[in-house]
Amino acid sequence: MGLVLVVAPWSALWEGNVLLQASSWLRAVLLSPFTRGAVSGLGMLNILIALDEARQLLLGPRDPVA
């Protein structure tokens, strides 16, 4: 899911979205670089969390730092 959120806002799939035809203000918001970057950032966060969870499953939890 994270990879989709990183890539989709910058693809033609995002620009061809049905929601963009609903209203002009929604179109402006969804096509803004800020919104696209925010969605991509959430995707990156999702990927980092998934990698940390996979590491914990494979290696066990980290030792707390004293």
Side-chain angles (χ1 to χ4, degrees), residues 17-66:
N17 192 338
V18 177
L19 293 174
L20 295 178
Q21 297 157 0
S23 67
S24 60
W25 70 268
L26 186 59
R27 178 178 178 80
V29 169
L30 290 178
L31 290 179
S32 78
F34 176 79
T35 303
R36 290 177 174 200
V39 172
S40 290
L42 288 174
M44 287 300 298
L45 185 61
N46 184 287
I47 290 170
L48 292 173
I49 291 171
L51 289 173
D52 185 55
E53 287 181 3
R55 183 197 56 77
Q56 286 181 14
L57 280 173
L58 295 174
L59 303 175
R62 289 185 188 169
D63 290 331
V65 177

